[in-house]
Amino acid sequence: MIIKSKLKKPSKLKNGIERTRLLEDFEGYKLGLICAPAGYGKSTAIADWAAAHENVAWFSIDSFDDNPSHFCNYFIHSIEQLPAVSCPASLEMAKQSDDADFVSVLSILFNELSGLKEPLRIILDDYHHIKNPDIHQALAFFIKHMPNHWQVVISSRTMPALSVSGLRIKQQLFELVEADLAFTEQETLDFFAASTDFATEEKKQLTLRDNVEGWPTALQLVSILSRDSASFNECAEQIGKSNHVYLWDYLDEEVFSVLSPELQNLLLHIAPLNKVDSNIINSLCSTENGHLLLEQLKEHAAFIVPVDKQQDWFTFTSFFKAFLVHKAKQCGSVKRDDKVIAELWLNHQEIAEALPHVLKCQDQDLVIALLNQAGWKLFHDGQLNSLQACFDLIKQSFWLHPELVILKVWMLQSRHQSYKVAPLINQAEKLFAKNNIVLSDQLKGEFLVIHAQIAINQGRIHDALAQAEQTLLLLPSSNTRANIVAQAVIGEAYHGLGNLELAYQYFQEVKLLANEQQMYQSEIWAVYQQTEILQAQSFHQQADQHLEEALSLIKEHHLSAMPLHAFPLHFKAQRAYQAGQFSVAEDFCKQALDVVSPYGEQWLLYTYTLQAKIVLEQGDLVRGQELIEDIERLLRNKNYHSDWIAAANYARLKYWRATEDTAAIERWLTTAPQPEHAFNHFEQCHNRNRVRALIKLGDLEQAMLIVEQNIQDAQQCSLQMEINRNLILLTSIESKLKLFGNAKIHLSQAVESSLFTGLNTCFIRESDNLKPVYQDLAKDPTLIHSVKEKLVKLLSLSGINLDDAPKNPFDSASIIKIKAHARAPRLVKNIPLTPREWQVLGYIHAGYRNHQIANCMGVAPTTVKSHIRNVYQKLGLEDRNEAVQLSEQLVTLIN
């Protein structure tokens, strides 16, 4: 007897959406295979497609149909019920006997339908119930010999045992798998729009979709259980974490319960694992049938999928894995033993899989075994937090293992906790002596190079260089890691000493060796150091190439979450800040904060420094104050490299100058760093910080001496960026001192240098002091064209119009105040200057030369000379310098 409901397509879901994209390209193919686990909407997708076509036969298969004659009977009935089909002979033959030969029936069917011109479409739903090879063989015969305008569509949870390779080669096979059936973002939004009558955030809908990997049943369950947006959010969160009883019930009924007890037991045992192969199954379950069991699981499509690029390895979808873990806990008969699992993975040298189980079982011996086996791999892969967790678990035990002491040192160094390294090494060496621990030559080399690194950390550059060079002489040739570190220390030392060419060469060697040894952090650090070296020399294009290479390596080796990533981000932020692109600079700062925040607040100093510079440049003193307070708190509590201290002090001085806090500047200046030589960018910055402080406090002569020495040191080392910065600052000081001849020469050099360095904002910050020098320089006929163009650009960026005359400080009201002031000079009170003479004195105060004054007043230069001579005679002045000093004194009386 035929159950007619098995020959009808399923009813359309009330809240379903049509996904025509799935089968829209099926036309022209003979066979369509739609294979995916339960709940992926296979039947719904086919039903939607069938609704748009005629002559569609439907056969819903169950486990009772796994019999050739039984299957044959339903198959022929599904076709015979179509209005366009008449096949009485084949139908009668299928009904007559339980022993009817399926292939023979199909042969009769072909003869009866030979005249059928219309397309015929046959859908076999839930074909995974069919195991009988006779049915597979007969169906393969049917597909092979049916007319080209006939189509068969098969839905199944597993790949049918049909021979389809010939169809695939002939491009007559159409396939859809789990990834194709998963809901897209747009389908997710459309589905919830159709299935809910309340508003929900699109972001939450798409987050749910990502969490369940587009599994339609999970989305359907959320829509059914949600009454409003609040319940939607709650349900979406639970199901997104695969933590909902209805979801578990579905997987239990549709997937788990249909498996054999043996496969159920297997799944419960392997539930804690992220991946399995037959060997793992054999070891964990004490069996020799791992391969067979795995094949059976694959046949049942129990949400098991291949692991990318790992042959013979398989994993579970996230929601099915969560269900299995829940089921294992619920059963209680299968106990999770993290130590057993950890040892299993360690024996298979699968460190990433072993690590979480090692940490959970908290067995010190197992942790030490893991660190000895793969500690350096974890380090080079950037898993510093995992390393830290391991060291936390073994507590003091690592002191008895010199190899682990070295590993911890480099972990601290990478976490920018270098201030902890020297105390740790000192304590370790004492304990080694106390416990008679003898170091191998290789380990001695490791400790030697650590001492060189400590010297670099502490700014003892010459000691670091000597120790690192001595280490290279003593190292065994096999100790590649210590060799690489020693050469990196030498590179940093030469960088600090200003020998940029030699430093670059050492870092090039470090880069090549580190790449060979897969020490990717060392390789990236070497490339970044080369970036800074090239930037200091104003080789911007090469510096950019190296910077992108460093970022590419970080991405390639999945080290984006490492503190190391912050350095190129800071570099980009600083570059954007110098170009006046403050929003871009702030974006890079935010990215850097995302990277470094998990590693402790000591990492925040440099990013806060950059942010403070940005907001102060924009005039935001409120935010600036907050950042400066954070910077000062961090400086009090932590030890930092001289580079970061120099940058932090620059930001502090910038804030104090903006807020006129001269007391803070005076206090800082008493303890400010005073490097003996400035052969690198941070020592240059230390000196310029002192210069800015002295300028604010009025000691211009001392400031000029320091900046002139800075220029000499920078020239000695070809620090082109520093030379340019110093020239701008020197010009500003000379302008303040009214040394306009020197200022003009140095400003011309600074502008020409900026053609290569690209500096702009340094000029803008000093624009008030540079304006009178710009006036002279702009009229210099000897300027080359490129310098003139850059000068015009700087004037535009600084908002300076050379045609605007300066505001004369000596207007009529100011003159009255001056004469009435008790400290006004006697000659000023007793011998009146004419308004024109006061005006000329004001222009002299502004630094204008005679021809500039003549232009502003609209008179001949000879008239200006006459006015100046009268001013000198009336006020008893010898020369222009005395006139400048007197005018400065008078201005202070009215301010």
Side-chain angles (χ1 to χ4, degrees):
M1 184 177 72
I2 294 296
I3 302 173
K4 292 186 177 181
S5 61
K6 288 165 60 72
L7 304 181
K8 293 183 179 180
K9 68 177 182 179
S11 302
K12 189 177 180 65
L13 292 174
K14 293 181 180 178
N15 59 352
I17 59 168
E18 289 193 8
R19 300 201 289 161
T20 55
R21 68 171 177 89
L22 292 173
L23 286 158
E24 64 183 355
D25 295 327
F26 182 44
E27 297 303 325
Y29 291 89
K30 293 186 73 173
L31 175 62
L33 283 182
I34 304 179
C35 296
Y40 269 90
K42 301 183 291 297
S43 301
T44 301
I46 298 172
D48 287 343
W49 173 80
H53 296 82
E54 296 180 348
N55 288 337
V56 178
W58 189 286
F59 177 14
S60 293
I61 302 167
D62 56 39
S63 57
F64 298 104
D65 299 316
D66 194 21
N67 172 281
S69 59
H70 199 264
F71 186 97
C72 175
N73 195 12
Y74 270 100
F75 186 85
I76 300 299
H77 268 88
S78 69
I79 297 173
E80 190 275 337
Q81 69 175 354
L82 300 176
V85 172
S86 176
C87 54
S90 53
L91 182 62
E92 187 61 30
M93 187 174 181
K95 286 190 217 178
Q96 277 179 354
S97 171
D98 290 341
D99 297 325
D101 180 68
F102 194 0
V103 172
S104 298
V105 174
L106 292 176
S107 298
I108 295 173
L109 178 68
F110 284 140
N111 290 330
E112 287 187 291
L113 300 184
S114 61
L116 182 65
K117 303 301 181 183
E118 294 88 348
L120 178 62
R121 301 172 179 93
I122 304 166
I123 295 171
L124 304 177
D125 196 21
D126 288 341
Y127 191 82
H128 51 271
H129 291 295
I130 303 303
K131 310 297 180 188
N132 193 304
D134 291 339
I135 298 177
H136 295 320
Q137 185 178 0
L139 186 59
F141 170 81
F142 178 82
I143 295 170
K144 180 179 179 180
H145 295 288
M146 70 183 187
N148 288 333
H149 62 288
W150 291 14
Q151 291 179 300
V152 173
V153 182
I154 297 175
S155 81
S156 176
R157 295 183 183 180
T158 61
M159 180 60 70
L162 296 171
S163 178
V164 296
S165 57
L167 293 174
R168 184 177 284 115
I169 292 171
K170 294 177 181 177
Q171 296 183 325
Q172 293 179 333
L173 175 65
F174 180 85
E175 294 178 275
L176 292 177
V177 295
E178 178 181 334
D180 301 310
L181 292 163
F183 267 40
T184 65
E185 289 187 353
Q186 188 58 52
E187 285 172 344
T188 301
L189 298 177
D190 293 343
F191 171 73
F192 283 118
S195 61
T196 57
D197 56 3
F198 49 83
T200 56
E201 293 182 38
E202 286 189 2
K203 184 178 180 180
K204 291 189 181 296
Q205 295 177 25
L206 298 180
T207 299
L208 170 63
R209 173 204 168 273
D210 292 341
N211 289 339
V212 300
E213 301 169 36
W215 187 32
T217 291
L219 303 178
Q220 174 77 292
L221 189 55
V222 172
S223 73
I224 293 171
L225 296 175
S226 301
R227 301 177 305 278
D228 50 35
S229 58
S231 62
F232 176 92
N233 293 340
E234 180 181 357
C235 185
E237 183 175 1
Q238 288 181 325
I239 289 182
K241 295 178 179 178
S242 305
N243 183 25
H244 197 285
V245 64
Y246 287 178
L247 183 63
W248 292 334
D249 287 346
Y250 177 86
L251 291 171
D252 204 347
E253 293 173 9
E254 293 291 328
V255 181
F256 191 76
S257 63
V258 301
L259 300 175
S260 67
E262 186 180 23
L263 289 181
Q264 290 181 3
N265 186 57
L266 169 64
L267 287 174
L268 297 180
H269 272 86
I270 64 177
L273 307 183
N274 290 324
K275 64 179 184 178
V276 293
D277 71 349
S278 58
N279 293 325
I280 291 294
I281 291 174
N282 288 338
S283 300
L284 189 62
C285 302
S286 302
T287 181
E288 295 181 356
N289 298 321
H291 181 74
L292 177 61
L293 291 170
L294 194 55
E295 287 300 316
Q296 290 176 7
L297 275 182
K298 289 160 58 180
E299 286 178 9
H300 284 84
F303 289 92
I304 189 167
V305 293
V307 176
D308 289 343
K309 299 180 182 179
Q310 292 190 35
Q311 189 175 6
D312 300 327
W313 284 92
F314 295 86
T315 188
F316 299 114
T317 56
S318 60
F319 44 85
F320 191 63
K321 177 178 172 61
F323 160 74
L324 290 178
V325 172
H326 160 74
K327 189 72 176 177
K329 289 180 181 177
Q330 191 180 49
C331 292
S333 58
V334 180
K335 293 186 178 179
R336 169 174 175 157
D337 192 328
D338 283 298
K339 184 175 181 181
V340 170
I341 297 173
E343 290 173 337
L344 173 66
W345 284 123
L346 285 176
N347 290 336
H348 283 77
Q349 298 186 344
E350 289 278 353
I351 305 306
E353 299 301 326
L355 181 61
H357 300 286
V358 169
L359 294 176
K360 284 178 182 176
C361 71
Q362 299 192 354
D363 184 298
Q364 284 198 359
D365 291 337
L366 205 57
V367 175
I368 291 172
L370 180 140
L371 289 176
N372 282 328
Q373 180 178 337
W376 284 108
K377 183 177 189 320
L378 292 175
F379 174 81
H380 293 309
D381 288 346
Q383 297 190 51
L384 300 186
N385 290 336
S386 296
L387 272 181
Q388 183 64 60
C390 288
F391 279 111
D392 290 343
L393 280 174
I394 62 177
K395 299 184 170 72
Q396 301 301 311
S397 300
F398 82 96
W399 292 112
L400 301 177
H401 301 269
E403 299 90 346
L404 299 188
V405 172
I406 293 168
L407 178 60
K408 185 164 185 176
V409 163
W410 292 115
M411 181 194 74
L412 293 173
Q413 188 72 26
S414 285
R415 292 174 73 95
H416 209 67
Q417 295 175 325
S418 55
Y419 57 92
K420 294 182 179 180
V421 171
L424 186 148
I425 288 296
N426 291 336
Q427 186 174 353
E429 290 175 338
K430 289 177 184 177
L431 287 172
F432 295 161
K434 180 179 178 181
N435 292 284
N436 298 316
I437 297 175
V438 180
L439 301 180
S440 65
D441 289 342
Q442 177 143 337
L443 286 175
K444 287 178 182 177
E446 296 275 5
F447 278 92
L448 282 172
V449 81
I450 287 172
H451 281 287
Q453 183 66 58
I454 290 171
I456 275 289
N457 293 344
Q458 296 175 345
R460 296 184 286 111
I461 296 177
H462 291 284
D463 290 345
L465 182 59
Q467 290 174 356
E469 289 177 336
Q470 182 68 14
T471 300
L472 287 179
L473 293 175
L474 299 175
L475 278 177
S477 58
S478 60
N479 199 336
T480 52
R481 180 172 61 246
N483 184 294
I484 288 169
V485 175
Q487 296 206 58
V489 170
I490 293 172
E492 285 196 55
Y494 279 126
H495 191 181
L497 293 172
N499 193 334
L500 301 187
E501 184 175 348
L502 197 53
Y504 185 93
Q505 292 174 8
Y506 268 96
F507 281 121
Q508 182 67 15
E509 184 66 18
V510 170
K511 170 186 169 183
L512 297 174
L513 289 174
N515 179 269
E516 289 177 5
Q517 298 299 316
Q518 297 182 345
M519 293 173 58
Y520 300 121
Q521 293 184 60
S522 296
E523 180 184 5
I524 293 164
W525 182 246
V527 176
Y528 177 72
Q529 287 292 315
Q530 289 179 315
T531 302
E532 288 208 333
I533 290 169
L534 292 166
Q535 175 72 6
Q537 297 172 298
S538 294
F539 298 144
H540 297 306
Q541 185 174 355
Q542 296 96 315
D544 286 342
Q545 291 171 353
H546 280 66
L547 186 67
E548 292 308 315
E549 182 181 357
L551 289 168
S552 177
L553 287 169
I554 288 170
K555 182 178 180 180
E556 178 184 349
H557 299 298
H558 310 290
L559 297 173
S560 296
M562 283 286 292
L564 183 64
H565 187 199
F567 287 91
L569 291 174
H570 286 154
F571 188 95
K572 282 181 169 283
Q574 177 68 21
R575 179 78 69 80
Y577 166 78
Q578 290 173 347
Q581 300 169 345
F582 301 128
S583 61
V584 175
E586 180 61 35
D587 285 343
F588 283 123
C589 285
K590 289 176 181 176
Q591 293 179 43
L593 282 177
D594 289 340
V595 171
V596 301
S597 294
Y599 293 94
E601 67 173 9
Q602 74 274 5
W603 270 95
L604 305 178
L605 178 68
Y606 198 80
T607 314
Y608 283 169
T609 295
L610 287 170
Q611 288 182 315
K613 290 163 63 175
I614 293 166
V615 298
L616 290 173
E617 200 70 36
Q618 295 172 311
D620 187 349
L621 294 180
V622 175
R623 176 67 178 139
Q625 181 181 1
E626 294 172 354
L627 288 165
I628 294 301
E629 288 173 353
D630 285 333
I631 288 169
E632 294 189 331
R633 174 177 55 80
L634 293 173
L635 286 173
R636 285 194 298 271
N637 297 333
K638 304 294 179 185
N639 298 307
Y640 291 101
H641 188 274
S642 184
D643 187 5
W644 285 26
I645 293 172
N649 284 338
Y650 173 86
R652 296 165 75 196
L653 283 164
K654 193 175 184 69
Y655 175 72
W656 293 331
R657 288 189 298 159
T659 56
E660 298 292 335
D661 192 348
T662 55
I665 296 174
E666 288 174 344
R667 288 193 299 271
W668 173 82
L669 198 53
T670 60
T671 58
Q674 299 185 33
E676 183 178 353
H677 296 288
F679 295 147
N680 52 64
H681 70 274
F682 48 88
E683 287 173 341
Q684 287 273 321
C685 184
H686 280 310
N687 280 341
R688 281 196 300 275
N689 286 338
R690 291 169 57 217
V691 167
R692 293 185 182 94
L694 290 168
I695 291 173
K696 188 63 179 177
L697 297 177
D699 192 347
L700 300 179
E701 286 79 7
Q702 180 63 23
M704 188 161 65
L705 289 175
I706 296 172
V707 81
E708 286 174 341
Q709 183 60 50
N710 239 22
I711 291 174
Q712 291 181 26
D713 290 345
Q715 288 173 335
Q716 183 176 332
C717 303
S718 299
L719 302 174
Q720 300 302 330
M721 294 291 286
E722 307 308 316
I723 293 170
N724 200 177
R725 291 188 178 101
N726 290 319
L727 282 171
I728 296 167
L729 198 53
L730 178 60
T731 303
S732 180
I733 296 170
E734 289 170 336
S735 178
K736 280 179 158 299
L737 289 171
K738 313 303 180 184
L739 302 174
F740 295 110
N742 291 341
K744 177 183 174 183
I745 294 170
H746 291 136
L747 181 59
S748 176
Q749 293 173 353
V751 174
E752 186 171 356
S753 178
S754 73
L755 296 174
F756 304 96
T757 64
L759 289 180
N760 291 325
T761 53
C762 294
F763 289 93
I764 297 170
R765 293 187 202 107
E766 303 294 334
S767 58
D768 287 344
N769 297 323
L770 297 181
K771 182 174 180 178
V773 193
Y774 278 139
Q775 294 275 6
D776 262 359
L777 189 61
K779 292 181 172 59
D780 189 335
T782 65
L783 286 184
I784 60 176
H785 179 70
S786 56
V787 173
K788 284 183 178 179
E789 285 189 335
K790 184 60 185 281
L791 188 62
V792 170
K793 178 180 179 180
L794 291 174
L795 290 170
S796 174
L797 291 172
S798 303
I800 295 176
N801 185 347
L802 296 181
D803 294 330
D804 292 340
K807 183 178 182 298
N808 197 311
F810 304 129
D811 56 22
S812 56
S814 298
I815 295 169
I816 293 172
K817 287 177 65 176
I818 290 170
K819 289 185 175 182
H821 203 285
R823 295 203 307 274
R826 182 176 55 82
L827 289 176
V828 173
K829 287 186 174 184
N830 296 334
I831 302 177
L833 299 180
T834 67
R836 281 287 198 178
E837 290 164 353
W838 276 111
Q839 188 179 7
V840 167
L841 185 59
Y843 284 127
I844 292 173
H845 173 266
Y848 274 39
R849 317 304 292 167
N850 287 5
H851 68 277
Q852 294 172 315
I853 297 173
N855 288 337
C856 291
M857 296 178 64
V859 297
T862 54
T863 304
V864 171
K865 286 183 179 180
S866 176
H867 288 314
I868 291 174
R869 186 170 56 252
N870 292 339
V871 170
Y872 287 177
Q873 289 175 353
K874 289 181 178 181
L875 301 181
L877 303 173
E878 292 292 333
D879 54 28
R880 201 178 196 92
N881 285 337
E882 288 189 6
V884 168
Q885 293 173 10
L886 176 63
S887 65
E888 290 278 9
Q889 179 184 349
L890 298 178
V891 168
T892 60
L893 299 181
I894 56 178
N895 288 340

